[in-house]
Amino acid sequence: MIEFDGPTPPDRPLNLPGKVELRRDADEAIDALAAHLYMQALACTRSFGDFHLALSGGSTPLPLYRRLMYDPAYRDLPWKRTHLWIVDERCVPFDDPQSNFGMIRDLIVSHSDIPSQQVHPIPAMDAEPDRVYEQTLRDMLEWREKGHDRLDFVLLGMGTDGHTASLFPNSPALNASDCLMYLNTGPAVTPPDRVTMTFELINASRMIAVLVLGENKRQPLKSVMNGQDSVEDLPILGIQPLAGELHWYLDWNTCPTDID
Ligand code: 6PG
């Protein structure tokens, strides 16, 4: 008999806040997420006439962004009716390799038929980028009926320190109140300074998808499952949708092997 010594599925359900979409490998997890995003885009454009999508940076979602462009299954994603937002941004020019918008522009914007006025980069090098972006968000979402004036789909990742978006452990943005965007600076922020969506904005969204892949995320994932840390120490625990849904996209390789 052939012995399979690759990752195996966890022997009990993963205790995460939200729905767990667990797949055998990264490719399958990304495929499931792409299909979910696609269905949400169709449903929202049917119901509201448009789709407000917010994407993150980091390396994990790159294959997803490519897949959305080359896979025929997603070719008719309604980009013409999509507003594209950026979850967080480093305070660098868009042509800097660290710029999230630069990456998303190169992988998605320049290969889709999304109208340029529906692409919303964070003006991270300008004065008060958080306030400016917040105003743009409010201006665009106010066209929606009350109650539907929220982001439709927010894609998040998780750092090995448990940060999500640019909400770093013990950083000022964790305590931002009454604002949708925050300029996060100071010693707790991994340089350069960041502009980030706040918990308030993310948690109000219709759908939050967290994509976490790779062995190096096992430990933080285990901490999320234990739920013992504070939001200050493990910011991703602050992702608590108000009325929307939270889905985790994971593969076997990312699952902790010693679940308590
Ligand atoms: C960013 C992010 C950030 C990211 C995590 C995970 O711009 O870096 O928005 O929150 O999702 O750091 O990054 P990796 O996917 O590279 O592990």
Side-chain angles (χ1 to χ4, degrees):
M1 202 171 116
I2 300 169
E3 289 276 314
F4 176 66
D5 60 359
T8 49
D11 58 5
R12 64 192 76 178
L14 301 184
N15 178 27
L16 288 165
K19 186 159 190 275
V20 177
E21 301 282 1
L22 178 64
R23 298 293 185 277
R24 174 185 290 266
D25 59 29
D27 211 47
E28 286 186 15
I30 282 170
D31 214 28
L33 174 48
H36 184 199
L37 194 159
Y38 176 73
M39 294 312 291
Q40 289 293 314
L42 293 188
C44 288
T45 48
R46 212 175 297 129
S47 302
F48 315 119
D50 55 14
F51 176 54
H52 287 268
L53 168 67
L55 297 179
S56 283
S59 54
T60 312
L62 300 187
L64 168 72
Y65 299 162
R66 292 196 188 99
R67 175 82 57 95
L68 291 176
M69 292 298 118
Y70 74 66
D71 191 329
Y74 310 120
R75 193 162 292 155
D76 61 341
L77 201 146
W79 289 110
K80 275 198 172 145
R81 289 166 172 259
T82 298
H83 280 262
L84 181 57
W85 301 95
I86 308 295
V87 170
D88 63 320
E89 188 57 279
R90 294 165 181 78
C91 295
V92 296
F94 295 139
D95 284 328
D96 188 295
Q98 294 190 82
S99 165
N100 284 345
F101 177 70
M103 178 268 284
I104 289 165
R105 178 194 57 199
D106 294 350
L107 291 182
I108 294 182
V109 177
S110 49
H111 302 286
S112 71
D113 56 359
I114 185 167
S116 57
Q117 67 275 18
Q118 289 166 209
V119 178
H120 305 289
I122 298 176
M125 296 299 284
D126 292 0
E128 303 193 323
D130 47 349
R131 291 203 190 179
V132 172
Y133 207 61
E134 174 159 341
Q135 195 52 52
T136 311
L137 277 159
R138 289 189 189 281
D139 291 346
M140 292 294 149
L141 291 172
E142 79 175 7
W143 292 97
R144 288 274 187 91
E145 213 177 287
K146 265 264 145 301
H148 295 307
D149 48 351
R150 52 185 176 152
L151 294 171
D152 295 312
F153 197 103
V154 178
L155 176 68
L156 299 175
M158 179 177 76
T160 48
D161 60 356
H163 83 262
T164 191
S166 281
L167 299 160
F168 289 95
N170 305 300
S171 68
L174 301 183
N175 299 305
S177 61
D178 291 331
C179 62
L180 307 183
M181 298 296 300
Y182 195 86
L183 176 58
N184 208 12
T185 63
V189 173
T190 304
D193 292 347
R194 316 280 182 121
V195 185
T196 184
M197 290 188 173
T198 59
F199 286 130
E200 187 173 331
L201 174 60
I202 297 170
N203 286 337
S205 311
R206 180 178 316 282
M207 179 65 64
I208 303 169
V210 188
L211 176 64
V212 185
L213 300 172
E215 265 174 60
N216 61 339
K217 303 285 172 69
R218 276 186 199 165
Q219 192 49 51
L221 197 62
K222 192 174 172 194
S223 304
V224 177
M225 287 162 53
N226 286 340
Q228 299 298 316
D229 294 83
S230 64
V231 173
E232 285 289 326
D233 291 333
L234 197 66
I236 200 153
L237 289 177
I239 300 300
Q240 299 165 5
L242 290 173
E245 290 179 36
L246 169 59
H247 290 211
W248 294 79
Y249 286 85
L250 312 166
D251 70 346
W252 292 358
N253 193 36
T254 315
C255 294
T257 43
D258 51 342
I259 304 173
D260 306 321

